[in-house]
Amino acid sequence: MSTLVIVVIDGFGVGAMPDAGALRPGDLSADTCGHVLDHCRAALGRPLRLPALGALGLGLVRPHPDLARRTDRPVAVGRAALGYPGADTFAGHQTMMGADFSRVTVAPLAGHLDEVSGALKAAGHLVEPLGERPLLLVDGAVLVHDNLEADPGINWNASGRLSDVSFDRILSVARTVRAVAPVARVIAVGGHADRTLTAYVRDGDGGTVGLDTPASGFYRNGGLQVRHLGASLDHTRQLPDVAARAGLPVTLVGKAADILACDAAVRRPAVATAEVLEHTLSAVRSAVQAGRGAVRGGRGGLVVANVQESDLAGHQQDTERFGSVLEQVDVGLAELTGLLTGPGDRLIVTADHGNDPTVGHAHHTREYVPVLMHRPDASGIERLPDAATLADVGATAAAALGLDPAELTTGETLLSGSSGRSAGPL
């Protein structure tokens, strides 16, 4: 009858993984949490107000003078390696829910222009190269290009201005590209920009070329529409589907509603942090009420929420905005822990990668992420082993819900006294 909530603070890393410098040597200094705390103290003249994250044990995972170094809450704390190549929101969430993304293909668009162009032409589209640059202009309005916000070759985008083309048309282009793309994700993006999108094209790392989406104004101007088309995987062996089959209500909030598959889930897409938190709290209130009304046949439920504005602040290299988002999230976490007080109720706070706004570029950073678990019916603090993959977070959540972690494609439970491991290809 328990309720389990996973809150993903997008881009909130706690220090570089050993291979973080493989693409950009400077990324070995990445530390999103520590650098945001340091910068905000200097800029604001005070430490960030993060009492809920402190009570959840963040200071035990990433020691810092501005974080409490102990807590009297019954928590389990640790950190997780990513378990997939690069640093990417889609791959991070799919892995966290139990998919095996360890062998995702990394492929810049430049190596597949002929194949993609041929598929689009066969589908009836007008396809033009953009000068000598390795990206495509489709129907005079949609750019097919490398995604510059993830590591080179992880994702491709199909982007258009909604004043020029409908989102359905952009999505149609993206689906045709997805059919021949070897990469983890093809993303359809529609938004509003003051100038034509070709004005925002720039070179990325590793020979990639694409749209500078933050510079285009898509994130600032309202009306953003996004659809993530992922590589083929068995969604029935991910946590949301496994929970739904067991009769648990499943709610996906924020970006999680856009990128996770579960036919039975209630979806609450949102970008604004206040809206993400309100949807999450509303879902938890309903789940807790149902779980405690078990005499009427009620169950608790699973809620997975993504806070995206932290990641957007990282891309914009806006450290103070990142800190402001963290303070806003902290207030929401305090409310969540106040709701999740029943036997078996759990809150897991984690991330999908890093996005250090001080590291000198606008890309994700390959960092460990925190794993902070609120467990009101436990006693004391449990220090978790370093997780080899975010899939271990999903397996731990499954076990906490009384589900069999072996139903997931991969992942191992982290808590002592839990068991269950599964492994296998996608």
Side-chain angles (χ1 to χ4, degrees):
M1 307 304 176
S2 60
T3 300
L4 188 140
V5 183
I6 300 176
V7 174
V8 181
I9 306 176
D10 206 311
F12 190 48
V14 291
M17 290 176 54
D19 59 356
L23 177 64
R24 292 176 291 267
D27 282 11
L28 281 171
S29 66
D31 178 6
T32 302
C33 177
H35 290 158
V36 169
L37 290 171
D38 289 342
H39 178 94
C40 287
R41 172 182 271 275
L44 303 175
R46 62 165 177 84
L48 288 179
R49 299 184 177 98
L50 305 176
L53 282 166
L56 286 167
L58 179 60
L60 301 175
V61 176
R62 175 42 179 102
H64 190 278
D66 292 347
L67 294 171
R69 299 190 180 208
R70 57 183 301 169
T71 177
D72 57 2
R73 299 283 185 87
V75 296
V77 300
R79 63 178 189 170
L82 301 185
Y84 63 88
D88 175 65
T89 294
F90 180 82
H93 282 70
Q94 303 302 334
T95 300
M96 191 185 301
M97 294 299 108
D100 182 358
F101 259 58
S102 62
R103 293 181 294 279
V104 166
T105 299
V106 176
L109 180 61
H112 297 268
L113 283 176
D114 289 344
E115 185 180 4
V116 174
S117 179
L120 288 165
K121 289 176 180 177
H125 295 285
L126 174 65
V127 183
E128 308 167 78
L130 197 65
E132 300 297 318
R133 311 188 87 173
L135 70 168
L136 302 171
L137 181 63
V138 182
D139 300 331
V142 180
L143 281 177
V144 176
H145 59 92
D146 290 304
N147 180 305
L148 302 185
E149 296 171 67
D151 281 340
I154 293 288
N155 303 318
W156 300 346
N157 283 22
S159 303
R161 294 196 311 175
L162 296 176
S163 56
D164 299 331
V165 62
S166 70
F167 186 69
D168 284 345
R169 192 67 171 170
I170 298 168
L171 184 57
S172 175
V173 170
R175 283 175 170 152
T176 300
V177 175
R178 171 73 276 173
V180 296
V183 296
R185 180 170 42 150
V186 173
I187 310 171
V189 185
H192 297 284
D194 295 331
R195 295 187 287 167
T196 61
L197 293 189
T198 55
Y200 302 102
V201 170
R202 66 170 175 83
D203 294 337
D205 290 337
T208 57
V209 179
L211 177 69
D212 188 336
T213 305
S216 75
F218 274 14
Y219 295 140
R220 299 188 304 271
N221 293 336
L224 181 69
Q225 295 190 60
V226 180
R227 185 73 61 84
H228 300 261
L229 307 177
S232 177
L233 54 85
D234 186 355
H235 296 296
T236 67
R237 298 191 65 192
Q238 290 186 282
L239 180 62
D241 259 33
V242 171
R245 286 198 305 275
L248 290 170
V250 176
T251 304
L252 305 176
V253 181
K255 202 170 184 179
D258 296 326
I259 60 181
L260 295 177
C262 178
D263 290 342
V266 173
R267 296 180 184 275
R268 296 287 183 260
V271 175
T273 301
E275 191 175 353
V276 170
L277 292 173
E278 182 49 45
H279 284 319
T280 303
L281 287 163
S282 177
V284 171
R285 292 184 191 106
S286 296
V288 167
Q289 183 178 12
R292 292 172 188 173
V295 293
R296 299 188 301 275
R299 301 294 303 273
L302 169 67
V303 181
V304 182
N306 170 280
V307 176
Q308 185 179 0
E309 285 193 309
S310 47
D311 189 52
L312 299 182
H315 287 308
Q316 294 162 0
Q317 300 176 67
D318 188 339
T319 312
E320 289 176 53
R321 183 187 178 195
F322 204 123
S324 176
V325 172
L326 289 179
E327 289 192 327
Q328 194 174 3
V329 170
D330 198 82
V331 173
L333 294 178
E335 291 188 61
L336 285 171
T337 55
L339 290 170
L340 296 167
T341 59
D345 287 348
R346 297 289 184 266
L347 167 66
I348 299 176
V349 179
T350 187
D352 47 353
H353 51 72
N355 196 340
D356 188 336
T358 73
V359 81
H361 59 72
H363 297 286
H364 294 159
T365 43
R366 189 165 166 80
E367 299 180 51
Y368 291 101
V369 299
V371 180
L372 313 175
M373 179 182 283
H374 161 75
R375 43 182 197 161
D377 56 349
S379 60
I381 300 168
E382 181 171 349
R383 297 298 296 261
L384 302 174
D386 278 356
T389 168
L390 281 168
D392 292 351
V393 175
T396 302
L401 283 167
L403 306 173
D404 182 0
E407 290 193 53
L408 307 180
T409 300
T410 189
E412 182 175 2
T413 57
L414 296 170
L415 288 168
S416 62
S418 298
S419 61
R421 181 181 178 87
S422 63
L426 283 172

